[in-house]
Amino acid sequence: MSEMFCYQCQEAMRNTGCTAHKGMCGKPADVANLQDLLVYLLKGISFWGSRGRGMGVYDDEADLFVAQALFATITNANFDPERHIALIQKAIQLRDSLRVRAQERCNQLHQSNCTGTGPDWAGWQPENYEIETLLAKGRTVGVMADPTLDEDVRSLRELIIYGLRGIAAYVDHAYVLGARDASILAFMQEALDATTNKDFGVKELLGVVQKTGEFGIKAMALLDQANTSRYGNPEPTQVNLGVRPGPGILVSGHDLLDLDELLQQTEGTGINIYTHGEMLPTNAYPELKKYSHLAGNYGGSWWKQSKEFTAFGGPILMTTNCIVPVKEAYKDRIFTTGMAGYPEVPHIADRKPGEQKDFSAIIALAKTCAEPEELETGTIPIGFAHNTVLSVADKVIEAVKSGAIKRFVVMGGCDGRHKERQYYTDVALALPQDTIILTSGCAKFRYNKLGLGEIGGIPRVLDAGQCNDSYSLIVIAQALAEAFDCSVNELPLSFDIAWYEQKAIIVLLALLSLGVKKIRVGPTLPAFLSPNVTKVLVEAFELKPIDTVEADIAAMMAGA
């Protein structure tokens, strides 16, 4: 048996799976195995949660925990084994509490089969919580634990789980801001439970995949509502790329509330706050950009953070996933919070009810640091989420009717380290001048600073925000389809999606659930898609791998 097996991200070794002592993302084998065990136990919570819910037994804490714990297993979120051990302990505690309550209710209803601990994932108990004990179990419950499992069933089960991880990220962000939708949390347990059902073959699991996409849209809409109700609709904004005099704190990840509270706690201190990576779009929210010490964006994509964090010189706050193995050059000034974690890196605890997180340690450190090293100057435009684009929909529609805009190309998704991702820069540069790029996610860093110009005052790169904001692209596409009285597939609209981790997977499933066809996915198709599952998606949705820049542009401009 290999030390680990993981093929959840695009950088899986040889596009097959990481099997050594460390994954390509930097995740060590012990964390990989602990995550396998944690997901196994979340299936146990889902076993009792789904059955209990059918008898009127509810547990809000357990429901939200499933989402939070799944978020911790997303690529590049949490590399800390101690944090995973704590999550495993809590998973067992919540699972067993649900079991007791469900069985008590079962007896009250005079039903049969009200005893026992259920299948192994619903009842397994460790002798202790020593890491070696947990690792021994984790090695037996991973993706490849059952070599006799049908390849296509395994593929679809993992596709569902990875889609759920993407939903989990959206839900966690939304719930932090007070948004609630119990149906999403209930579905997550229903779907996890379905991945253990031995009677579910390809047909049944494809149904769950479809439903996962549908609930992905619900989760995106929930987060969109949470963000905009708290911080206003993003508005077109030119974001500063340079630095200001004075010390700074660099905020990376995705969490808006963490940034908000840090801005409040640093107001008037002389400390500048800079965004990094997927935090770039936060500069467009009215209730965040009102802070004069929100100084702009520093650096680019997540995978460049080793160089950029070193150059920054001040403290860094990682609010969510996209952390890479931490270098000694900045290990003494990086902090994690939320579901993010890294060994021997200080973690800022969750906020207590009615209180803010305590950022005093990172603020105190910032006061001792010099201003950041400048990496670049100038500005870039952001803030083209659905509210902004739809407010000028008549202008966009007229540009399409007049022929000024020939085609929209959705180039959202993830960025990554592979040199093959130069493809997306080359596509952006080679697209005809009468095309508009719609983007969200960190894929934008491949082309958002190229100065691609405008069409009648409309920027040729319309940045809708984070990967979390992909909902905006769906809303825009549906609004255009309604305006032209046609389906999304009949619009002058092409999809050329880059993927890296599981939030891109749920975006893909969301699009498929809407019946969107001819989506190009790259730089590779996911390793967890078996040949037969890939064939099904190709036949049903005309899903395509990317080809050459020239071939893909020609095909997209022809509507193929």
Side-chain angles (χ1 to χ4, degrees):
M1 183 180 292
S2 61
E3 293 185 60
M4 62 178 283
F5 182 85
C6 182
Y7 61 1
Q8 69 185 42
C9 85
Q10 190 274 323
E11 292 187 353
M13 188 177 295
R14 293 185 291 275
N15 204 38
T16 300
C18 295
T19 59
H21 65 282
K22 184 176 289 187
M24 297 298 290
C25 68
K27 178 169 62 176
D30 60 350
V31 170
N33 288 311
L34 290 172
Q35 288 184 349
D36 286 342
L37 177 56
L38 178 58
V39 172
Y40 188 71
L41 295 169
L42 296 179
K43 295 174 183 177
I45 293 177
S46 301
F47 177 89
W48 293 112
S50 297
R51 286 153 183 78
R53 193 172 287 108
M55 298 183 289
V57 175
Y58 301 93
D59 190 321
D60 293 342
E61 183 182 9
D63 292 348
L64 182 58
F65 176 81
V66 170
Q68 292 173 326
L70 275 177
F71 192 8
T73 68
I74 210 168
T75 302
N76 288 87
N78 196 322
F79 293 90
D80 189 350
E82 293 302 319
R83 295 276 306 286
H84 283 90
I85 291 171
L87 289 170
I88 287 168
Q89 287 180 294
K90 187 170 182 180
I92 291 175
Q93 170 202 334
L94 291 172
R95 181 200 65 187
D96 291 351
S97 174
L98 257 175
R99 175 179 57 80
V100 170
R101 292 177 57 206
Q103 289 177 337
E104 287 176 348
R105 182 59 176 160
C106 181
N107 282 314
Q108 291 171 359
L109 295 174
H110 304 293
Q111 296 182 1
S112 59
N113 301 318
C114 296
T115 60
T117 57
D120 188 66
W121 51 92
W124 176 77
Q125 296 287 342
E127 295 179 3
N128 54 58
Y129 286 97
E130 298 295 326
I131 188 168
E132 287 305 323
T133 300
L134 301 178
L135 287 176
K137 183 64 174 179
R139 295 186 189 103
T140 71
V141 298
V143 175
M144 297 297 180
D146 181 3
T148 67
L149 184 64
D150 179 83
E151 178 184 34
D152 301 329
V153 168
R154 178 186 289 112
S155 177
L156 289 169
R157 286 179 176 182
E158 295 307 309
L159 179 57
I160 292 164
I161 290 170
Y162 301 154
L164 293 176
R165 285 175 174 173
I167 291 176
Y170 301 143
V171 166
D172 182 64
H173 290 304
Y175 267 62
V176 162
L177 291 172
R180 300 287 183 268
D181 189 332
S183 71
I184 299 174
L185 299 181
F187 168 73
M188 293 180 73
Q189 292 185 21
E190 173 192 324
L192 275 175
D193 193 39
T195 66
T196 69
N197 191 327
K198 294 181 179 180
D199 294 328
F200 275 21
V202 169
K203 180 181 178 181
E204 292 80 7
L205 290 171
L206 281 171
V208 181
V209 168
Q210 167 76 16
K211 202 170 178 181
T212 302
E214 294 168 3
F215 273 88
I217 295 171
K218 290 191 71 172
M220 292 178 201
L222 182 71
L223 178 57
D224 180 77
Q225 184 272 331
N227 285 340
T228 56
S229 63
R230 175 73 70 96
Y231 299 112
N233 284 295
E235 54 192 27
T237 303
Q238 288 287 338
V239 180
N240 177 49
L241 300 177
V243 300
R244 296 179 183 175
I249 296 173
L250 187 61
V251 184
S252 196
H254 302 79
D255 196 275
L256 272 63
L257 185 57
D258 285 337
L259 175 64
D260 180 13
E261 293 180 350
L262 182 62
L263 284 165
Q264 292 181 49
Q265 293 176 36
T266 52
E267 193 168 22
T269 64
I271 297 171
N272 296 311
I273 305 300
Y274 298 85
T275 59
H276 176 268
E278 281 275 68
M279 293 301 287
L280 164 65
T282 60
N283 290 273
Y285 285 91
E287 290 302 308
L288 294 174
K289 63 187 289 187
K290 71 181 182 182
Y291 291 98
S292 61
H293 62 300
L294 181 58
N297 194 71
Y298 187 88
S301 188
W302 63 272
W303 60 273
K304 297 181 179 179
Q305 66 188 248
S306 294
K307 177 182 178 181
E308 293 170 353
F309 288 3
T310 298
F312 186 74
I316 303 113
L317 176 65
M318 288 297 309
T319 64
T320 60
N321 60 308
C322 295
I323 189 170
V324 304
V326 175
K327 304 295 185 184
E328 288 298 327
Y330 56 89
K331 191 172 184 178
D332 61 347
R333 50 187 175 84
I334 186 170
F335 297 73
T336 62
T337 193
M339 300 315 298
Y342 198 86
E344 300 177 8
V345 165
H347 186 77
I348 295 173
D350 290 342
R351 54 188 63 81
K352 297 177 181 177
E355 298 181 13
Q356 294 188 354
K357 284 186 180 178
D358 180 5
F359 291 114
S360 58
I362 196 169
I363 293 170
L365 178 59
K367 292 177 179 178
T368 69
C369 298
E371 66 187 55
E373 172 188 330
E374 191 163 73
L375 298 177
E376 55 189 332
T377 58
T379 63
I380 53 172
I382 65 168
F384 295 93
H386 59 85
N387 186 72
T388 294
V389 175
L390 296 185
S391 70
V392 293
D394 55 343
K395 186 176 181 180
V396 173
I397 292 166
E398 179 55 36
V400 173
K401 289 181 176 178
S402 70
I405 296 175
K406 287 289 197 304
R407 182 156 289 270
F408 298 91
V409 180
V410 175
M411 292 177 65
C414 309
D415 195 14
R417 291 165 282 214
H418 281 183
K419 63 181 181 180
E420 291 84 358
R421 290 179 183 269
Q422 177 66 27
Y423 161 92
Y424 294 99
T425 303
D426 294 342
V427 167
L429 287 168
L431 280 169
Q433 293 296 307
D434 52 12
T435 56
I436 294 283
I437 296 171
L438 301 173
T439 191
S440 64
C442 57
K444 69 171 69 72
F445 286 105
R446 289 284 169 174
Y447 42 80
N448 68 338
K449 299 175 184 178
L450 297 177
L452 296 179
E454 300 180 343
I455 299 176
I458 302 170
R460 286 194 58 229
V461 177
L462 294 179
D463 181 3
Q466 300 178 341
C467 55
N468 296 351
D469 299 316
S470 297
Y471 177 70
S472 274
L473 304 183
I474 293 173
V475 172
I476 292 168
Q478 291 177 323
L480 288 173
E482 183 177 349
F484 286 101
D485 192 24
C486 66
S487 72
V488 170
N489 291 314
E490 295 171 310
L491 286 170
L493 176 67
S494 299
F495 291 83
D496 198 6
I497 305 295
W499 83 283
Y500 177 76
E501 46 92 344
Q502 295 81 70
K503 281 181 279 185
I505 295 302
I506 191 56
V507 172
L508 174 63
L509 297 186
L511 292 171
L512 296 182
S513 76
L514 292 171
V516 176
K517 296 186 176 182
K518 301 178 183 178
I519 301 172
R520 285 173 173 80
V521 179
T524 59
L525 290 179
F528 52 80
L529 293 182
S530 68
N532 285 336
V533 170
T534 300
K535 182 180 178 183
V536 168
L537 296 177
V538 168
E539 291 178 350
F541 299 101
E542 300 178 54
L543 192 71
K544 305 170 183 286
I546 62 171
D547 197 346
T548 66
V549 171
E550 295 76 15
D552 283 348
I553 290 179
M556 287 188 289
M557 295 307 294

